[in-house]
């Protein structure tokens, strides 16, 4: 029994269908370009080896010890009716409150963030990437690539999406997840670029006439 997928080939589509596929694939490549652009702007504009003091990561425990040893340390003023913006000296109650507060991380740009927010961000990413996997995979299904190549691309693409979002979810907890995030992100971009190359190559071919 013949493979039903082989009866429909990308090169044999009518011109209007090829136009649709070509525009869609080009827009997907634009998505990849924008992703790289955002990453470059966010992480490439500041030299991580020469960050100013206010951008450098600090341990909460070290900050508390520094406050404890500084007799002139004060808490930033609270602008309300009762305190009227008056600075308050650091006492034992203030130090205990600092110890109990949830630990906030810092991203590479030095901005504070809650690590739990990464879970919500990963959920958004996995939704978009899964739709991208389906759309690109559906078009790649009718290209001239061999069944083995198609299977390999689908497995790599799917595993990379899962790894990317696991890395995004736990990047603030262990360094290995940050590495997983970066490596899987690069592999996703390379996989999409390869799929786009095969798609454009088939669109440029003449119909077989079958």
């Amino acid at each position: 029994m013949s493979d039903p997928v082989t009866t429909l080939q990308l090169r044999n589509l009518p011109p209007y269908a090829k136009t649709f596929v070509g525009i869609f694939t080009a827009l997907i490549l634009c998505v990849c370009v924008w992703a790289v652009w955002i990453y470059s702007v966010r992480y490439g504009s500041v030299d991580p080896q020469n960050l100013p003091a206010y951008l450098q990561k600090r341990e909460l425990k070290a900050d508390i010890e520094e406050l404890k040893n500084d007799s002139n340390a004060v808490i930033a003023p609270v602008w309300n009716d009762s305190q009227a913006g008056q600075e308050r000296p650091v006492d034992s109650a203030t130090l205990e409150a600092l110890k109990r507060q949830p630990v906030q991380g810092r991203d590479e740009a030095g901005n504070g963030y809650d690590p739990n927010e990464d879970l919500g961000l990963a959920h958004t990413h996995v939704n978009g990437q899964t739709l991208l996997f389906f759309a690109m995979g559906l078009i790649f299904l009718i290209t001239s690539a061999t069944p083995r190549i198609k299977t390999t691309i689908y497995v790599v693409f799917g595993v990379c999406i899962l790894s990317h979002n696991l890395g995004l979810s736990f990047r603030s907890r262990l360094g290995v997840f940050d590495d997983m995030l970066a490596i899987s992100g690069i592999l996703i971009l390379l996989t999409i670029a390869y799929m786009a190359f095969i798609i454009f190559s088939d669109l440029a071919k003449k119909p077989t006439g079958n």
Side-chain angles (χ1 to χ4, degrees), residues 115-126 168-169:
N116 293 325
E117 292 179 0
D118 288 339
L119 292 174
L121 186 59
H123 182 261
T124 302
H125 278 216
V126 74
L168 181 57
S169 298

PDB file of all heavy atoms in Angstrom, residues 115-126 168-169:
ATOM      1  N   PRO A 115      11.268  34.260  40.445  1.00  0.00           N
ATOM      2  CA  PRO A 115      11.526  33.049  39.665  1.00  0.00           C
ATOM      3  C   PRO A 115      10.265  32.310  39.260  1.00  0.00           C
ATOM      4  O   PRO A 115      10.247  31.640  38.230  1.00  0.00           O
ATOM      5  CB  PRO A 115      12.390  32.200  40.625  1.00  0.00           C
ATOM      6  CG  PRO A 115      13.054  33.192  41.515  1.00  0.00           C
ATOM      7  CD  PRO A 115      12.048  34.300  41.696  1.00  0.00           C
ATOM      8  N   ASN A 116       9.195  32.425  40.051  1.00  0.00           N
ATOM      9  CA  ASN A 116       7.957  31.739  39.709  1.00  0.00           C
ATOM     10  C   ASN A 116       7.310  32.303  38.450  1.00  0.00           C
ATOM     11  O   ASN A 116       6.480  31.639  37.819  1.00  0.00           O
ATOM     12  CB  ASN A 116       6.970  31.818  40.877  1.00  0.00           C
ATOM     13  CG  ASN A 116       7.446  31.018  42.077  1.00  0.00           C
ATOM     14  OD1 ASN A 116       8.060  29.961  41.924  1.00  0.00           O
ATOM     15  ND2 ASN A 116       7.173  31.510  43.267  1.00  0.00           N
ATOM     16  N   GLU A 117       7.675  33.523  38.077  1.00  0.00           N
ATOM     17  CA  GLU A 117       7.128  34.101  36.857  1.00  0.00           C
ATOM     18  C   GLU A 117       7.628  33.377  35.619  1.00  0.00           C
ATOM     19  O   GLU A 117       7.008  33.449  34.556  1.00  0.00           O
ATOM     20  CB  GLU A 117       7.485  35.590  36.776  1.00  0.00           C
ATOM     21  CG  GLU A 117       6.798  36.445  37.836  1.00  0.00           C
ATOM     22  CD  GLU A 117       7.193  37.906  37.730  1.00  0.00           C
ATOM     23  OE1 GLU A 117       7.997  38.238  36.824  1.00  0.00           O
ATOM     24  OE2 GLU A 117       6.702  38.705  38.529  1.00  0.00           O
ATOM     25  N   ASP A 118       8.751  32.675  35.739  1.00  0.00           N
ATOM     26  CA  ASP A 118       9.275  31.926  34.603  1.00  0.00           C
ATOM     27  C   ASP A 118       8.308  30.824  34.178  1.00  0.00           C
ATOM     28  O   ASP A 118       8.253  30.471  32.998  1.00  0.00           O
ATOM     29  CB  ASP A 118      10.625  31.313  34.954  1.00  0.00           C
ATOM     30  CG  ASP A 118      11.724  32.360  35.041  1.00  0.00           C
ATOM     31  OD1 ASP A 118      11.536  33.451  34.464  1.00  0.00           O
ATOM     32  OD2 ASP A 118      12.743  32.101  35.692  1.00  0.00           O
ATOM     33  N   LEU A 119       7.559  30.256  35.115  1.00  0.00           N
ATOM     34  CA  LEU A 119       6.588  29.218  34.773  1.00  0.00           C
ATOM     35  C   LEU A 119       5.513  29.760  33.846  1.00  0.00           C
ATOM     36  O   LEU A 119       5.133  29.119  32.867  1.00  0.00           O
ATOM     37  CB  LEU A 119       5.949  28.651  36.049  1.00  0.00           C
ATOM     38  CG  LEU A 119       6.868  27.830  36.960  1.00  0.00           C
ATOM     39  CD1 LEU A 119       6.143  27.468  38.245  1.00  0.00           C
ATOM     40  CD2 LEU A 119       7.332  26.576  36.242  1.00  0.00           C
ATOM     41  N   GLY A 120       5.017  30.957  34.157  1.00  0.00           N
ATOM     42  CA  GLY A 120       4.007  31.571  33.301  1.00  0.00           C
ATOM     43  C   GLY A 120       4.564  31.911  31.928  1.00  0.00           C
ATOM     44  O   GLY A 120       3.886  31.733  30.913  1.00  0.00           O
ATOM     45  N   LEU A 121       5.818  32.383  31.896  1.00  0.00           N
ATOM     46  CA  LEU A 121       6.448  32.706  30.631  1.00  0.00           C
ATOM     47  C   LEU A 121       6.660  31.450  29.792  1.00  0.00           C
ATOM     48  O   LEU A 121       6.460  31.457  28.567  1.00  0.00           O
ATOM     49  CB  LEU A 121       7.784  33.402  30.881  1.00  0.00           C
ATOM     50  CG  LEU A 121       8.528  33.941  29.663  1.00  0.00           C
ATOM     51  CD1 LEU A 121       7.677  34.963  28.924  1.00  0.00           C
ATOM     52  CD2 LEU A 121       9.851  34.560  30.089  1.00  0.00           C
ATOM     53  N   ALA A 122       7.046  30.365  30.441  1.00  0.00           N
ATOM     54  CA  ALA A 122       7.245  29.097  29.727  1.00  0.00           C
ATOM     55  C   ALA A 122       5.930  28.583  29.155  1.00  0.00           C
ATOM     56  O   ALA A 122       5.904  28.018  28.053  1.00  0.00           O
ATOM     57  CB  ALA A 122       7.852  28.056  30.675  1.00  0.00           C
ATOM     58  N   HIS A 123       4.839  28.773  29.885  1.00  0.00           N
ATOM     59  CA  HIS A 123       3.535  28.329  29.379  1.00  0.00           C
ATOM     60  C   HIS A 123       3.167  29.069  28.099  1.00  0.00           C
ATOM     61  O   HIS A 123       2.645  28.484  27.141  1.00  0.00           O
ATOM     62  CB  HIS A 123       2.456  28.559  30.449  1.00  0.00           C
ATOM     63  CG  HIS A 123       1.098  28.099  30.044  1.00  0.00           C
ATOM     64  ND1 HIS A 123       0.145  28.965  29.553  1.00  0.00           N
ATOM     65  CD2 HIS A 123       0.537  26.865  30.030  1.00  0.00           C
ATOM     66  CE1 HIS A 123      -0.955  28.291  29.266  1.00  0.00           C
ATOM     67  NE2 HIS A 123      -0.739  27.010  29.554  1.00  0.00           N
ATOM     68  N   THR A 124       3.449  30.365  28.062  1.00  0.00           N
ATOM     69  CA  THR A 124       3.187  31.146  26.854  1.00  0.00           C
ATOM     70  C   THR A 124       4.066  30.672  25.704  1.00  0.00           C
ATOM     71  O   THR A 124       3.601  30.525  24.566  1.00  0.00           O
ATOM     72  CB  THR A 124       3.447  32.643  27.120  1.00  0.00           C
ATOM     73  OG1 THR A 124       2.605  33.079  28.195  1.00  0.00           O
ATOM     74  CG2 THR A 124       3.148  33.472  25.889  1.00  0.00           C
ATOM     75  N   HIS A 125       5.337  30.408  25.998  1.00  0.00           N
ATOM     76  CA  HIS A 125       6.257  29.965  24.961  1.00  0.00           C
ATOM     77  C   HIS A 125       5.876  28.606  24.402  1.00  0.00           C
ATOM     78  O   HIS A 125       5.932  28.392  23.189  1.00  0.00           O
ATOM     79  CB  HIS A 125       7.680  29.898  25.528  1.00  0.00           C
ATOM     80  CG  HIS A 125       8.372  31.222  25.542  1.00  0.00           C
ATOM     81  ND1 HIS A 125       9.720  31.371  25.306  1.00  0.00           N
ATOM     82  CD2 HIS A 125       7.910  32.472  25.762  1.00  0.00           C
ATOM     83  CE1 HIS A 125      10.058  32.645  25.367  1.00  0.00           C
ATOM     84  NE2 HIS A 125       8.964  33.331  25.669  1.00  0.00           N
ATOM     85  N   VAL A 126       5.515  27.673  25.269  1.00  0.00           N
ATOM     86  CA  VAL A 126       5.212  26.325  24.789  1.00  0.00           C
ATOM     87  C   VAL A 126       3.944  26.323  23.935  1.00  0.00           C
ATOM     88  O   VAL A 126       3.833  25.538  22.979  1.00  0.00           O
ATOM     89  CB  VAL A 126       5.082  25.337  25.974  1.00  0.00           C
ATOM     90  CG1 VAL A 126       3.781  25.526  26.732  1.00  0.00           C
ATOM     91  CG2 VAL A 126       5.213  23.893  25.484  1.00  0.00           C
ATOM     92  N   LEU A 168      13.492  27.207  30.644  1.00  0.00           N
ATOM     93  CA  LEU A 168      12.920  28.508  30.980  1.00  0.00           C
ATOM     94  C   LEU A 168      12.213  28.471  32.330  1.00  0.00           C
ATOM     95  O   LEU A 168      12.256  29.438  33.093  1.00  0.00           O
ATOM     96  CB  LEU A 168      11.931  28.936  29.886  1.00  0.00           C
ATOM     97  CG  LEU A 168      11.249  30.293  30.047  1.00  0.00           C
ATOM     98  CD1 LEU A 168      12.283  31.404  30.164  1.00  0.00           C
ATOM     99  CD2 LEU A 168      10.320  30.557  28.873  1.00  0.00           C
ATOM    100  N   SER A 169      11.578  27.350  32.646  1.00  0.00           N
ATOM    101  CA  SER A 169      10.831  27.231  33.902  1.00  0.00           C
ATOM    102  C   SER A 169      11.736  27.209  35.126  1.00  0.00           C
ATOM    103  O   SER A 169      11.368  27.723  36.189  1.00  0.00           O
ATOM    104  CB  SER A 169       9.979  25.957  33.889  1.00  0.00           C
ATOM    105  OG  SER A 169       9.030  25.988  32.845  1.00  0.00           O
TER     106      SER A 169
END
